């Protein structure tokens, strides 16, 4: 190919890329303009803006809603830490071979089947109302916060265990052979070779469940805990203004969006580190 | 063969996968310092023999003895046996989440409980010896196939095995990368390492082996020094196999390369 031809092709390619950029920008602007017009033109728009986006509403609800949200953050952090550990333990138990461990595998299987199948809201009621009703020492005198954590951990560990297990299964058996051939035990092969690769692969779906868990912390309000949803509801019922809900939604987004970006960055860093960059 | 106890002895070893009998009574003695090459068509049982010797695959019949000790009993701890038998696979099986140095030190640190500093020092010596000194902190995916296979050999050597099993270690490599790996194996042989090598590289087997075993349909049909197996094979099937190889032009090509 002559230099001139290459240059011409290059120019042509640049031109088509610019055209694509213009088209995508224009269609985006047009779409959002249409949505905005639709909303602004709707008969109830002023009412909605007043109810959900009132300036005084934001100012007044920020205090109670954000202190409620702090409770959600605590619920989330404690639960997530436990879920990551419990889920991993269940996944590892289910992945270990050998007839001696069959009973453990069956217990793990039943656990994941049951707690992935029962809605969280029912688990919250059963744990939050059932355990105190047992009138057992220690088990029955825990705080509502603790019962909330127990419920979330029971349900989310079942999901997360399956995510981990998919990751473990995705590591090629030759890795296991490579590890065992060095004399590593079954457990060491899992710990140093299989799990590090498995966990890296499941970070995105784990984050997905993490976000799900964070949102579901709001369900613990059913036990009477004044967390963000209950705080927003209290604000709404005392002022007949729903801006508290918007406030709560913004607070959730303030955590989930940065979290998603951090995960993207982690994945990208890992990919770059291991990827072939040779000529 | 001498009167001394062989380092590795297989006695009437049987192995089947489902209905397929892959090994049908293999007998083999490997003395200390021996380099034994296994040749034969794909599916003749070469790889299975190596995997059974390393207890990756359990045998269905017969015995395997390591320095006279039966390692196929119920009471054998396979992890202890594998410390003394290194194996290198066709597909390298390096750990992609670790750099080369960590790949090499994992075994010594976790299995032999060697302190990190010592394990790394010895790993670097080995890497240096096999021309990988500047690759210590690279991840496997950034190495060529030949470099990866050399790293895998170093990883097995770091355990200071009594015996090395090489399972068609050049079969996955581009032709121009085969030579560097064979050079490494040759150096190992010269250093006195006992090795059992399953290979398709006939020219290489002829040069390096003390003994060549021709396998066919799950048994060792014929064995002897390379001159005898390649020069004056006794069995009809050995003759036919070698003729096919020559016809395929592989032997000539590889002769030129090595």
């Amino acid at each position: 190919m002559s230099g001139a031809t290459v240059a011409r092709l290059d120019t042509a390619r640049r031109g088509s890329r610019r055209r694509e950029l213009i088209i995508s920008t224009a269609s985006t602007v047009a779409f959002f303009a249409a949505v905005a017009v639709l909303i602004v033109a709707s008969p109830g728009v002023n009412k909605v803006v007043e109810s959900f986006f009132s300036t005084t509403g934001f100012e007044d609800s920020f205090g109670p809603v954000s202190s409620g949200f702090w409770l959600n953050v605590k619920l989330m952090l404690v639960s997530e830490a436990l879920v990551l550990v419990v889920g991993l333990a269940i996944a590892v138990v289910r992945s270990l071979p050998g007839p001696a461990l069959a009973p453990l595998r069956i217990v793990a299987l039943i656990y994941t089947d049951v707690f992935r199948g029962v809605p969280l809201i029912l688990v919250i009621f059963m744990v939050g109302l059932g355990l105190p009703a047992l009138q057992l020492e220690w088990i029955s005198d825990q705080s509502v916060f603790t019962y909330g954590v127990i419920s979330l951990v029971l349900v989310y560990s079942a999901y997360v265990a399956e995510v981990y297990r998919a990751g473990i299964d995705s590591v090629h058996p030759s890795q296991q052979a490579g590890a065992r051939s060095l004399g590593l035990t079954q457990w060491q092969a899992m710990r140093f070779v299989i799990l590090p690769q498995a966990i890296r692969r499941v970070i995105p779906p784990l984050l997905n469940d993490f976000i799900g868990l964070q949102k579901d912390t709001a369900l613990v309000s059913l036990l009477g805990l004044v967390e963000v949803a209950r705080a927003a509801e209290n604000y709404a019922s005392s002022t007949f203004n729903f801006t508290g809900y918007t406030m709560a939604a913004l607070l959730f987004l303030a955590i989930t969006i940065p979290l998603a970006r951090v995960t993207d960055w982690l994945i990208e860093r890992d990919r770059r580190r291991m990827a072939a960059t040779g000529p | 063969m001498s009167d001394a106890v062989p380092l590795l002895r297989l006695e009437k070893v049987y192995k089947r996968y489902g209905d397929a009998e892959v090994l049908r009574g293999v007998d083999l003695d490997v003395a200390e310092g021996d380099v034994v090459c296994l040749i034969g068509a794909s599916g003749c049982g070469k790889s299975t023999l190596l995997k059974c010797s390393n207890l990756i695959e359990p045998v269905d019949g017969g015995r395997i003895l390591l320095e006279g000790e039966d390692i196929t009993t119920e009471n054998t701890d396979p992890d202890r046996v594998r410390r003394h038998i290194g194996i290198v696979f066709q597909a390298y099986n390096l750990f992609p989440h670790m750099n080369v140095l960590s790949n090499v030190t994992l075994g010594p640190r976790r299995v032999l409980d060697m302190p990190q500093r010592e394990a790394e020092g010895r790993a670097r010596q080995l890497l240096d010896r096999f021309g990988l000194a500047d690759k210590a902190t690279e991840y496997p995916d950034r190495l060529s196939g030949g470099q990866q296979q050399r790293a895998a050999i170093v990883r097995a050597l770091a355990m200071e095995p009594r015996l090395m099993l090489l399972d068609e270690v050049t079969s996955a490599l581009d032709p121009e990368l085969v030579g560097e790996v064979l050079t490494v194996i040759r150096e190992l042989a010269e250093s006195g390492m006992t090795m059992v090598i399953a290979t398709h590289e006939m020219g290489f087997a002829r040069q390096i082996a003390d003994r060549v075993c021709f396998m066919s349909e799950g048994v060792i049909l014929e064995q002897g020094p390379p001159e005898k197996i390649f020069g004056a094979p006794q069995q009809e099937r050995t003759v036919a196999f070698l003729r096919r190889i020559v016809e395929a032009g592989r032997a000539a090509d590889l002769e030129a390369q090595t």
Side-chain angles (χ1 to χ4, degrees):
Chain A
M1 222 184 284
S2 74
T5 322
V6 172
R8 221 170 20 248
L9 276 176
D10 232 36
T11 320
R13 209 174 294 137
R14 251 200 314 274
S16 81
R17 207 174 302 141
R18 192 162 49 220
R19 210 160 37 241
E20 281 169 20
L21 191 68
I22 291 169
I23 292 172
S24 65
T25 310
S27 67
T28 310
V29 168
F31 173 76
F32 282 107
V35 172
V37 166
L38 200 70
I39 292 173
V40 172
S42 63
V45 64
N46 289 333
K47 188 102 177 65
V48 168
V49 167
E50 182 47 38
S51 305
F52 283 90
F53 299 94
S54 99
T55 319
T56 51
F58 279 124
E59 282 165 5
D60 295 348
S61 69
F62 180 77
V65 171
S66 64
S67 69
F69 186 66
W70 176 235
L71 200 60
N72 292 73
V73 171
K74 281 194 286 188
L75 270 171
M76 170 183 75
L77 290 178
V78 175
S79 304
E80 183 66 21
L82 290 169
V83 163
L84 288 175
V85 175
V86 176
L88 183 60
I90 294 165
V92 168
V93 164
R94 280 196 70 180
S95 300
L96 288 177
L101 295 169
L104 274 177
R105 278 200 296 275
I106 291 170
V107 169
L109 174 74
I110 293 173
Y111 174 84
T112 44
D113 279 0
V114 167
F115 284 98
R116 277 194 310 164
V118 178
L120 174 62
I121 194 164
L122 297 182
V123 176
I124 287 175
F125 279 133
M126 284 192 275
V127 169
L129 305 176
L131 291 187
L134 288 175
Q135 300 192 341
L136 289 168
E137 215 173 316
W138 195 73
I139 289 179
S140 302
D141 354 302
Q142 296 300 321
S143 64
V144 174
F145 181 87
T146 306
Y147 292 130
V149 168
I150 292 172
S151 312
L152 289 166
V153 170
L154 279 174
V155 169
Y156 272 88
S157 295
Y159 283 108
V160 166
E162 287 303 285
V163 171
Y164 277 128
R165 200 166 65 94
I168 290 170
D169 288 348
S170 77
V171 178
H172 196 271
S174 66
Q175 289 289 307
Q176 170 88 0
R180 297 304 300 276
S181 74
L182 292 173
L184 266 67
T185 63
Q186 177 75 46
W187 166 246
Q188 286 175 319
M190 184 62 95
R191 159 83 179 72
F192 297 112
V193 175
I194 310 295
L195 284 183
Q197 296 182 57
I199 290 172
R200 273 186 181 79
R201 287 180 202 180
V202 298
I203 286 174
L206 277 183
L207 179 89
N208 216 21
D209 280 344
F210 193 4
I211 290 171
L213 182 142
Q214 189 195 354
K215 294 191 294 180
D216 278 352
T217 54
L219 286 175
V220 178
S221 66
L222 293 168
L223 297 179
L225 210 58
V226 185
E227 47 65 73
V228 67
R230 180 59 65 92
E233 191 184 333
N234 290 348
Y235 178 78
S237 53
S238 64
T239 60
F240 301 105
N241 185 291
F242 303 130
T243 307
Y245 292 124
T246 313
M247 188 77 235
L250 290 176
L251 288 170
F252 275 111
L253 288 178
I255 293 222
T256 50
I257 291 176
L259 209 59
R261 293 292 80 77
V262 167
T263 314
D264 286 352
W265 176 76
L266 279 175
I267 294 166
E268 178 59 23
R269 192 189 63 168
D270 221 50
R271 197 188 59 76
R272 251 204 323 269
R273 208 176 52 175
M274 296 206 295
T277 54
Chain B
M1 235 156 280
S2 66
D3 296 335
V5 177
L7 183 57
L8 179 74
R9 162 172 274 176
L10 276 66
E11 291 178 355
K12 297 260 166 298
V13 169
Y14 282 81
K15 174 71 188 175
R16 74 176 66 79
Y17 294 109
D19 289 337
E21 276 209 309
V22 185
L23 298 181
R24 301 186 302 153
V26 173
D27 289 300
L28 179 66
D29 275 6
V30 181
E32 181 113 41
D34 261 2
V35 175
V36 175
C37 283
L38 306 174
I39 62 169
S42 298
C44 69
K46 303 187 296 282
S47 290
T48 308
L49 191 155
L50 297 182
K51 283 176 184 148
C52 287
S53 304
N54 195 27
L55 306 182
I56 291 176
E57 295 286 352
V59 300
D60 294 320
R63 304 200 298 167
I64 299 176
L65 297 99
L66 185 65
E67 296 185 296
E69 184 197 337
D70 189 349
I71 56 171
T72 44
T73 66
E74 293 268 302
N75 304 324
T76 309
D77 172 9
D79 297 324
R80 193 179 55 79
V81 171
R82 293 191 191 109
R83 283 181 207 179
H84 304 294
I85 305 180
I87 186 165
V88 182
F89 304 94
Q90 183 176 339
Y92 337 129
N93 298 16
L94 289 171
F95 308 131
H97 62 296
M98 297 178 181
N99 65 25
V100 169
L101 192 63
S102 304
N103 263 279
V104 175
T105 55
L106 181 69
R109 287 184 58 197
R110 302 299 171 189
V111 179
L112 307 179
D113 288 323
M114 196 182 285
Q116 181 170 357
R117 184 185 292 253
E118 190 188 340
E120 288 188 354
R122 294 181 7 162
R124 284 185 189 278
Q125 273 177 15
L126 279 172
L127 290 169
D128 191 33
R129 180 173 151 200
F130 293 107
L132 292 168
D134 56 334
K135 304 293 178 195
T137 54
E138 292 283 14
Y139 283 82
D141 289 357
R142 301 181 71 147
L143 304 183
S144 73
Q147 291 167 338
Q148 290 192 48
Q149 193 57 291
R150 282 187 283 150
I153 292 172
V154 168
R155 182 175 74 178
L157 285 176
M159 294 295 291
E160 302 198 329
R162 305 289 316 275
L163 169 70
M164 286 279 278
L165 309 173
L166 307 183
D167 187 5
E168 301 192 15
V169 293
T170 56
S171 299
L173 297 175
D174 291 336
E176 74 269 22
L177 302 175
V178 169
E180 62 184 82
V181 173
L182 295 185
T183 306
V184 164
I185 300 171
R186 193 171 292 124
E187 197 211 308
L188 275 180
E190 280 160 11
S191 73
M193 175 63 75
T194 314
M195 290 190 280
V196 183
I197 305 171
T199 185
H200 286 301
E201 312 279 349
M202 296 305 148
F204 177 70
R206 170 177 268 183
Q207 287 174 16
I208 196 175
D210 297 313
R211 193 149 39 98
V212 175
C213 299
F214 173 69
M215 287 188 75
S216 179
E217 296 178 4
V219 294
I220 294 177
L221 200 60
E222 182 169 5
Q223 58 176 305
E227 316 79 73
K228 180 163 164 284
I229 298 294
F230 292 111
Q234 303 297 306
Q235 297 287 331
E236 215 171 287
R237 269 185 279 170
T238 318
V239 176
F241 171 74
L242 291 173
R243 194 172 53 229
R244 275 205 308 279
I245 294 281
V246 174
E247 279 165 8
R250 292 186 64 178
D253 283 351
L254 298 169
E255 205 80 66
Q257 263 175 37
T258 51

